[in-house]
Amino acid sequence: MQDSHKLIEADDTAIEAALAEAHVPSLINALVHLTGDVSLIRGSARPVSELFGDPQGGISEGDQTAIRARALEALAAYRDAGCPALPAPPMALVKEMVDFIVGRELDASYGDFLMSELKVFDEDPYRVPFDDVPEDLRRDFQVVVVGAGMSGILTAIKLKQAGISYTVVDKNANVGGTWFENRYPGCRVDSPNHTYSYSFAPNDWPQHFSRQNVLLGYFDRIATDFGIRDNIRLSTEVIEARYQDRKWHVKVHGENGEDTIVANAIVTAVGQLNRPKLPDIEGLGSFQGPAFHTAQWESEHDLEGKRIVVIGTGASAFQTVPEIAQVAERVTVFQRTPPWVAPRPEYHDAISDGKHWLLNHVPFYAKWFRFWMFWTTGEGLLSMVKRDPAWNETGRSISEANDQLRAMLTANVERMVGDDPDLFAKCVPAYPPAGKRMLVDNGHWFRALKRDNVELVTDPIARILPDGVLTESGRRVDADILVYGTGFHASRILFPMKIYGKDGVELRERWGADPRAYLGVVMPGYPNLFCCYGPNTNIVVNGSIIFFSECEVRYIMGCLKLLIANGRAEMNCRQDVHDAYNEKIDAGNLDMAWGSRNVSSWYKNENGRVTQNWPFTLLEFWQQTRAPEPGDYEFA
């Protein structure tokens, strides 16, 4: 178990001030590394994991004070000794430390998974070694990566490390994907930033949930630091890809017109939420003022003193409205369905100087802090959104645990807007928690709705007018600017590319409205075509999408190794394997809140099937993507 940290030069007073802000469970584990004293994790000061509970895990104030004092003594001694390298603890002790920080003894099946996340065995546990594959075979194998966002950058880095030839194409003028495209006011990540980063490239984040420009800067820097820019063709869009003679012929359109790239394999890394969707409302397009989707924000318009209508209360509107309300004359928000909101008090907070110091200087502290965050935002909520068949189905909850979650979230709404009964009624969803995308906030949204110049309207829109909107009740709402926060064509995965497989059938024609894939990565009849963030790989309550991408790319690299090392031209997923897997996925999603019959959302297609979401644990996804099973494929 390795760690990288800066040398400690601070005096005792500065160290003590920083320790006052420490996450004590992470600090205790760091102290075990520093002192070798295992009694620290065997005493009475043991954290417990509770939803929306004490961030210090319930450790008493007295125990916290004692731990901080012990840490000051140990860090001062470590500094005075010149910050020597620390010995790696035995594996049995690491397992005990894992159980300590998550607050319970974990099943043995979690062992390799969590050790990998901690990087006990390897600095990059998601790297597939290619050293045993002849260099010329790797160099002669060509891969096209579609998309230079988070997953595309990751794929390119792994291909470069493996010595495989590759070309990345992206329709945008720079890398970054969603963080390049989405520039609306208030745009920020809603996963904790210390988990929303590559496992091999941690970052000293300025905020717990950083803004769009910070995320874009991170991915932009990673593309440069890992030397992949020379292989990226920007402002270039894939028109179609055809599989002929065991090669993919990828037609692209760029600044110099159309050309074709011939490749042995394709990795699509275009995401599920990349094509904005406008509502089906009469008069769409008739508005004479500025009208745009949040994902296509037109920043040239001055919002100050304007009357703004926002249609939708999804994630982007949720972040945008509190910002634009500060300058607009009036903001009228049209809501069809309210979101559930998970309270995170630190959502808009900067990471303090003391916390930065701890993360950068205390040996192993950052590693354990990231691990604690990975666990608590990973499997912590999953049991609360799983259906209990014995539960008295009301449509409002699906189990006793889900009902308790509903009560906690409702209490948060009541704290924020309970003094306004009409607004409170509009803000409490009628569907089970996690039935739709759950949003994260520290009360920013609710405070905005209580502003004198903001109105939340649930009267449906009947028609868009040249100068505003008309509701079904006959009310006119005048507007200077119209903003659509109405989501994306989520089920139209890989849209608008045309991808023709072995039999010449276009992929989305084969799918219809029902995209499916084996492991979310491969489809029968489309050899050597791999997806990142494909069907049924979206996460609702457990984990970071970067974790999923690292698992998927590890699997894809394993597939490429099977092809290159064995001299195979193609690998094609077996239909029976694909179908059996999707039966399991469908059954799993029906057992979750988002599979409830009374809930409609972008998670589902027009037939009510959940096409987007992963219904199981992070452990299960990690296990199924460790390495490809050759028996799942037909090779040529």
Side-chain angles (χ1 to χ4, degrees):
M1 187 173 183
Q2 302 177 36
D3 186 55
S4 60
H5 56 275
K6 298 177 181 178
L7 295 179
I8 296 177
E9 299 176 344
D11 61 23
D12 288 10
T13 301
I15 296 174
E16 185 177 21
L19 286 169
E21 302 184 59
H23 176 248
V24 172
S26 300
L27 183 62
I28 291 173
N29 270 1
L31 275 175
V32 174
H33 290 278
L34 272 168
T35 67
D37 183 1
V38 298
S39 70
L40 289 160
I41 59 173
R42 295 174 182 171
S44 60
R46 304 187 65 84
V48 294
S49 179
E50 292 181 339
L51 183 65
F52 309 135
D54 177 13
Q56 298 289 9
I59 295 176
S60 71
E61 291 291 340
D63 283 336
Q64 289 185 44
T65 299
I67 291 298
R68 290 188 172 100
R70 180 72 186 277
L72 174 60
E73 178 185 333
L75 288 168
Y78 179 70
R79 174 200 61 201
D80 296 343
C83 301
L86 298 173
M91 291 305 304
L93 179 55
V94 175
K95 168 66 168 64
E96 190 175 352
M97 295 164 79
V98 166
D99 289 347
F100 168 80
I101 201 167
V102 302
R104 63 187 177 92
E105 186 173 352
L106 293 176
D107 185 273
S109 61
Y110 275 93
D112 285 351
F113 164 52
L114 295 179
M115 296 302 178
S116 144
E117 181 59 28
L118 272 167
K119 299 183 188 169
V120 171
F121 305 119
D122 187 337
E123 273 303 292
D124 186 358
Y126 297 99
R127 185 172 182 171
V128 176
F130 274 76
D131 299 341
D132 54 342
V133 180
E135 184 179 348
D136 60 328
L137 296 182
R138 289 179 272 154
R139 187 178 57 249
D140 292 343
F141 194 92
Q142 176 66 236
V143 179
V144 168
V145 181
V146 186
M150 178 271 292
S151 294
I153 290 171
L154 172 64
T155 305
I157 290 170
K158 298 301 181 182
L159 290 168
K160 179 180 174 67
Q161 291 173 343
I164 296 172
S165 299
Y166 67 95
T167 302
V168 182
V169 295
D170 193 287
K171 68 182 187 300
N172 294 325
N174 196 9
V175 302
T178 189
W179 302 110
F180 176 82
E181 294 179 358
N182 287 277
R183 302 183 180 207
Y184 56 83
C187 181
R188 67 175 66 233
V189 68
D190 61 2
S191 295
N193 243 146
H194 290 92
T195 62
Y196 191 85
S197 51
Y198 298 128
S199 65
F200 56 86
N203 191 52
D204 194 15
W205 297 104
Q207 293 181 295
H208 297 279
F209 298 82
S210 294
R211 289 182 175 273
Q212 169 267 336
N213 63 316
V214 175
L215 271 296
L216 178 59
Y218 172 76
F219 291 111
D220 192 61
R221 175 175 61 79
I222 293 294
T224 298
D225 290 352
F226 283 83
I228 63 170
R229 284 194 177 275
D230 289 346
N231 292 67
I232 301 176
R233 294 176 58 176
L234 297 171
S235 302
T236 302
E237 188 164 8
V238 172
I239 306 302
E240 69 171 38
R242 291 182 181 270
Y243 191 72
Q244 298 172 338
D245 302 323
R246 293 179 181 164
K247 292 285 183 70
W248 281 102
H249 298 256
V250 185
K251 183 186 294 185
V252 300
H253 185 275
E255 294 175 325
N256 298 318
E258 284 190 3
D259 66 304
T260 299
I261 307 170
V262 179
N264 301 90
I266 300 177
V267 179
T268 64
V270 297
Q272 292 181 356
L273 307 180
N274 67 343
R275 297 290 174 170
K277 180 180 181 181
L278 295 176
D280 184 14
I281 300 176
E282 184 181 344
L284 188 72
S286 66
F287 186 72
Q288 293 182 351
F292 47 87
H293 195 281
T294 51
Q296 298 167 326
W297 193 268
E298 297 178 3
S299 57
E300 65 268 25
H301 305 299
D302 182 8
L303 306 183
E304 187 166 357
K306 298 297 192 298
R307 300 166 299 173
I308 303 174
V309 164
V310 178
I311 300 176
T313 53
S316 61
F318 189 84
Q319 294 178 332
T320 300
V321 167
E323 302 300 319
I324 64 177
Q326 297 177 41
V327 298
E329 176 188 322
R330 186 183 72 223
V331 179
T332 308
V333 184
F334 282 87
Q335 172 181 277
R336 187 170 56 182
T337 310
W340 281 113
V341 181
R344 292 298 295 256
E346 74 280 21
Y347 186 58
H348 288 89
D349 291 352
I351 295 175
S352 66
D353 291 342
K355 289 177 180 176
H356 277 297
W357 189 90
L358 293 165
L359 290 165
N360 289 319
H361 292 86
V362 177
F364 293 97
Y365 176 84
K367 191 177 288 285
W368 284 110
F369 179 75
R370 183 185 188 279
F371 177 81
W372 169 79
M373 198 168 286
F374 174 85
W375 176 261
T376 55
T377 60
E379 311 292 35
L381 264 176
L382 198 62
S383 63
M384 304 191 82
V385 298
K386 186 175 175 60
R387 181 181 306 282
D388 177 2
W391 183 249
N392 182 21
E393 177 64 56
T394 65
R396 296 166 61 85
S397 60
I398 58 170
S399 69
E400 182 178 3
N402 190 250
D403 206 49
Q404 291 172 352
L405 176 59
R406 180 186 184 88
M408 285 187 280
L409 297 177
T410 301
N412 179 57
V413 181
E414 188 167 19
R415 280 192 298 272
M416 300 304 303
V417 298
D419 58 343
D420 185 337
D422 290 339
L423 182 58
F424 175 74
K426 293 177 181 178
C427 292
V428 177
Y431 57 86
K436 295 174 179 281
R437 181 176 178 179
M438 191 179 297
L439 304 180
V440 177
D441 196 25
N442 59 357
H444 206 46
W445 167 253
F446 295 119
R447 286 189 291 271
L449 296 183
K450 295 185 73 173
R451 292 177 61 104
D452 291 339
N453 67 331
V454 176
E455 182 184 6
L456 183 65
V457 179
T458 56
D459 187 10
I461 296 175
R463 185 185 311 152
I464 304 294
L465 304 173
D467 56 356
V469 299
L470 179 69
T471 72
E472 290 186 358
S473 68
R475 176 186 172 187
R476 290 177 59 97
V477 178
D478 296 332
D480 302 307
I481 297 174
L482 191 57
V483 176
Y484 294 101
T486 48
F488 300 85
H489 290 285
S491 287
R492 297 171 73 176
I493 294 175
L494 305 184
F495 173 83
M497 291 184 292
K498 302 286 188 180
I499 302 176
Y500 300 89
K502 287 187 71 170
D503 55 6
V505 177
E506 202 278 316
L507 176 59
R508 285 186 299 103
E509 287 182 9
R510 173 162 285 161
W511 275 342
D514 198 17
R516 296 176 183 266
Y518 176 52
L519 308 182
V521 177
V522 292
M523 292 71 63
Y526 299 82
N528 304 5
L529 172 66
F530 307 98
C531 291
C532 292
Y533 202 11
N536 294 111
T537 61
N538 183 64
I539 49 175
V540 181
V541 295
N542 57 328
S544 157
I545 197 63
I546 293 186
F547 165 78
F548 268 58
S549 288
E550 292 203 55
C551 290
E552 290 156 358
V553 173
R554 174 184 57 182
Y555 182 86
I556 292 167
M557 295 303 295
C559 290
L560 298 182
K561 186 171 183 179
L562 281 179
L563 283 166
I564 299 169
N566 296 304
R568 305 296 180 88
E570 73 175 34
M571 58 188 301
N572 186 30
C573 177
R574 287 171 41 192
Q575 188 72 49
D576 61 325
V577 171
H578 168 276
D579 293 349
Y581 174 81
N582 276 275
E583 287 179 10
K584 184 182 84 167
I585 289 293
D586 287 349
N589 274 318
L590 288 174
D591 270 345
M592 308 307 289
W594 50 84
S596 299
R597 290 186 299 275
N598 64 317
V599 177
S600 66
S601 71
W602 63 263
Y603 297 151
K604 296 178 178 180
N605 66 7
E606 59 195 39
N607 300 317
R609 175 181 173 264
V610 177
T611 59
Q612 311 302 121
N613 295 347
W614 169 252
F616 306 119
T617 64
L618 300 182
L619 170 64
E620 289 169 282
F621 194 80
W622 183 84
Q623 288 173 329
Q624 76 176 24
T625 53
R626 288 190 78 172
E629 171 54 55
D632 293 343
Y633 293 87
E634 298 164 344
F635 291 87

